[in-house]
Amino acid sequence: MKKFIPVCEPTLRGKELEYVTDAINSGWISSAGKYIQEFEEKFSQYCGVKYGVSCSNGTKAIHLALMAVGIKAGDEVIMPSFTMIGSCNPIVQIGAKPVFVDSELKTWNMDTEQIEKKITTKTKAIMIVHIYGHPVDMDAVLKIARKHNLIVIEDAAEAHGAEYKEKKAGSLGDIACFSFYANKIITTGEGGMVVTNNEKWAEHAKKLRNHFFGEPRFLHQEVGYNYRLTNMQAAIGLAQLERIDELVGARRKNAQLYNSLLKDVPGIKLPVEEPWAKNVYWMYGLVVDKPFPLTMPQLRDELQKRGIETRTFFIGMHKQPAYAHLGVQGDFPNTEYLEKNGFYLPSSSHLTEEEIQYIAKTIKEIYTGQRT
Ligand SMILES: Cc1ncc(COP(=O)(O)O)c(C=O)c1O
C-alpha cells in the first residue's frame, strides 16, 4: 500500500489521453471544436436540462449565471455561510450583497428554515450549495422562492450526479453551476459549466463568456468576458463524463465502507443520506466531538503522521477578512461548529478497499490509544 494517501486525486483512467490527443492532432486547441459542443450537450443531458454553457472554472460559471439571470449591484442574494468562497466572490464582485444563512447540523447544508426571515425588498435570488455532495432539501427552497418570486441558483460544484427525489443536481432550481476542478467528481483540469432550461439565460451566458461578440462581430452590446473552456479541456471532460456513473458509484461505495467501519467510534459523526437524497460524497466528511479524546486538529495531525492526508471543513463566509467591508450581521453557530469540528478523509474515487480499511483502522487505533 502507498505510504501516503492524498485527500483527493483525479481518476483519469478512460479515454482522456485519446481524446486530448485527437483535439491536438485536429488543431482545435482553443475554444472551438467538437469536444466543447459534445461535452456541453451530453453534460446538460446528464443533468436533465436543455442547455449547457461551458466555461473556464466553477467560479466563472457562478459569475455567468448571476449575470445571465440579471443580478446587479445592490441586489441581495441569499446563500449559505458554510461554503467555499468561490460561491460568494462573484456576488461580491458584481457589487451585489450576499446574505448568509447558517447551516443545519445533519446534512451541513443551508438551514432552509432560516431563509425566509432574510428576505428583503432587495432580495433577487437564493443560491443553494449542495455541500460535499449532499443535495439541499429543494422543495423547502422552491416553496419560498416561488412565494417571493426569487430565482433559485444551484451551486452544484460539489454535486455531480447527486439527486433530490430522483432528480439530478443541476435540474433542481432555475439555473445551476458546476466546477470541473481536478478534485471534482468529473474534471477537466480547470473548468465549469452553467446549465439551465432557460434558453434566454443560456444564450446570454454564452455571449458573456465570449466578449459579447455581436452582429457585426466586433460590435459589442454588453461588457463581456473571456471565460472560455478549451477544446482540449472539453475532450478530458467528455472522457470523464463517459464514466460518470462509475465515478459516482465509486464515491458512494467508498462512503458505505467508511460508514460501516467508523459507525461505532464514539464522538465521530458520519455524513448522512436523507431518505429523499442521493449523496455523492464528493468529500467524505466527519465531525469530531466529545467523547472522542482528541480535537479535530489533533486527530488530523495524528492521521498526517501516519500518511493520511485530510482537509478541514470550510471557514464561514461571515468570518472572511475579505468581506469585512460587508459588515455581516448575525450569528452562525452551526457554521462555526462545523468549522471547529469538521474535516474530510481521503475521498478519491479510486481509493482501494485496503486504503479505506487502513484509514478506519488508524482512526480506531488513535481513539483506543488516547483513551487508555
Ligand atoms: C461549492 C463550490 N462552489 C464553487 C467552487 C468554485 O469552483 P472552481 O474552483 O472551479 O472555480 C467550488 C470549488 O471548489 C466549490 O466547492
Side-chain angles (χ1 to χ4, degrees), residues 57-60 62 83-84 86-87 129 131 155 157-158 179-181 183-184 190-191 282 314:
N57 57 60
T59 311
K60 298 310 177 202
I62 293 169
T83 186
M84 191 258 184
S87 309
V129 185
I131 294 291
D155 177 350
E158 304 178 354
S179 163
F180 302 118
Y181 182 66
N183 66 9
K184 296 304 186 289
E190 295 281 357
W282 167 58
F314 302 123

